[in-house]
Amino acid sequence: MSFGLHSGFQPVDFNESSADRAERLFESARSALPGLAEEQYLRLLVANEYLVRRMAEEGIIYAANFVGRSARDTTAATTAQFTLTLRDADLKATRPLEALAAGLREEDARREVDFVDLTVGRCLAVVQQDTPKPEVNLTGTEHYEPRVSRQFQVIVPLVERSQLAVFGLATECLRDWDDYVAMMADICNSIQWRGSARSSIEDKLAGLL
């Protein structure tokens, strides 16, 4: 299986130290987004580190960050994280996707779960929103401003391997959500079974799926 990403995505190195990752992202953000307030850069670094740690804990096999300037507020940065996760699953049921969709809805009624037909077959599309408590309080006050993260996932069943390939795009920049939905649609339309010529990003993923 292969897929393509927007050129603005930069792969995440899970073996990189937090300090090196923050320094590299800071320099990249200053170069791509000059003129932002120092607080905006700091928030960007803290949010990115939180998500990298969370991704490592969830067993994600590939991740990439997107950093750009918001189309809706040109004075602000916009960021998102793309992830690919493999999860073991019992896909022996007569209608495994229907069973999975029902289970996801039962776990959290606020989730949006629907079916989508892609080149690789029928998949599940899931949208959910979380309000995680930050590990670092930037203000030092007892009350902090809640951070809200929204994620768009596409779940592709790998029946012969009894696994699910979960493609996800998450962001805290909700003002740019429609742009990220369009970006995720492009990613989904690029997913295909191996056999055709691969792009550079696909070459990097050789052996992962």
Side-chain angles (χ1 to χ4, degrees):
M1 182 178 287
S2 64
F3 61 92
L5 291 180
H6 188 282
S7 60
F9 281 95
Q10 295 296 321
V12 172
D13 182 356
F14 289 106
N15 296 318
E16 189 176 29
S17 70
S18 297
D20 289 344
R21 183 163 44 242
E23 182 177 357
R24 185 169 54 81
L25 180 59
F26 180 61
E27 292 302 324
S28 175
R30 283 205 308 180
S31 175
L33 306 165
L36 294 183
E38 290 297 315
E39 182 181 0
Q40 289 182 295
Y41 290 126
L42 180 58
R43 287 181 179 274
L44 171 63
L45 298 182
V46 172
N48 180 72
E49 185 60 25
Y50 169 82
L51 287 167
V52 168
R53 291 184 184 183
R54 183 176 176 183
M55 288 187 291
E57 291 171 356
E58 293 177 353
I60 289 167
I61 63 171
Y62 180 83
N65 287 324
F66 177 83
V67 179
R69 191 176 294 277
S70 171
R72 298 191 170 41
D73 181 359
T74 56
T75 66
T78 184
T79 63
Q81 289 74 35
F82 170 82
T83 57
L84 171 59
T85 311
L86 286 181
R87 296 176 182 167
D88 294 332
D90 182 3
L91 301 176
K92 296 179 182 178
T94 304
R95 296 177 179 273
L97 276 186
E98 283 81 351
L100 178 59
L104 289 171
R105 294 187 183 106
E106 185 176 347
E107 285 178 5
D108 190 343
R110 296 170 299 176
R111 281 184 179 138
E112 299 176 35
V113 182
D114 208 345
F115 299 96
V116 57
D117 292 315
L118 302 177
T119 303
V120 290
R122 174 150 286 199
C123 307
L124 278 183
V126 182
V127 175
Q128 64 184 52
Q129 188 161 298
D130 300 307
T131 308
K133 184 175 181 178
E135 296 181 1
V136 178
N137 187 337
L138 295 178
T139 64
T141 59
E142 181 177 351
H143 300 287
Y144 62 90
E145 182 180 350
R147 292 171 43 235
V148 179
S149 175
R150 189 177 296 165
Q151 183 172 202
F152 191 148
Q153 294 182 328
V154 171
I155 303 174
V156 181
L158 307 176
V159 178
E160 294 183 356
R161 298 176 55 168
S162 296
Q163 288 183 316
L164 300 171
V166 183
F167 296 80
L169 189 64
T171 184
E172 294 183 9
C173 302
L174 302 190
R175 64 175 175 271
D176 302 309
W177 179 246
D178 289 344
D179 295 330
Y180 286 123
V181 169
M183 190 179 290
M184 189 61 173
D186 289 340
I187 295 172
C188 291
N189 287 329
S190 75
I191 300 173
Q192 58 184 331
W193 300 116
R194 275 197 192 147
S196 57
R198 295 182 299 180
S199 66
S200 59
I201 187 66
E202 293 159 4
D203 287 330
K204 294 178 183 178
L205 292 168
L208 291 182
L209 287 179

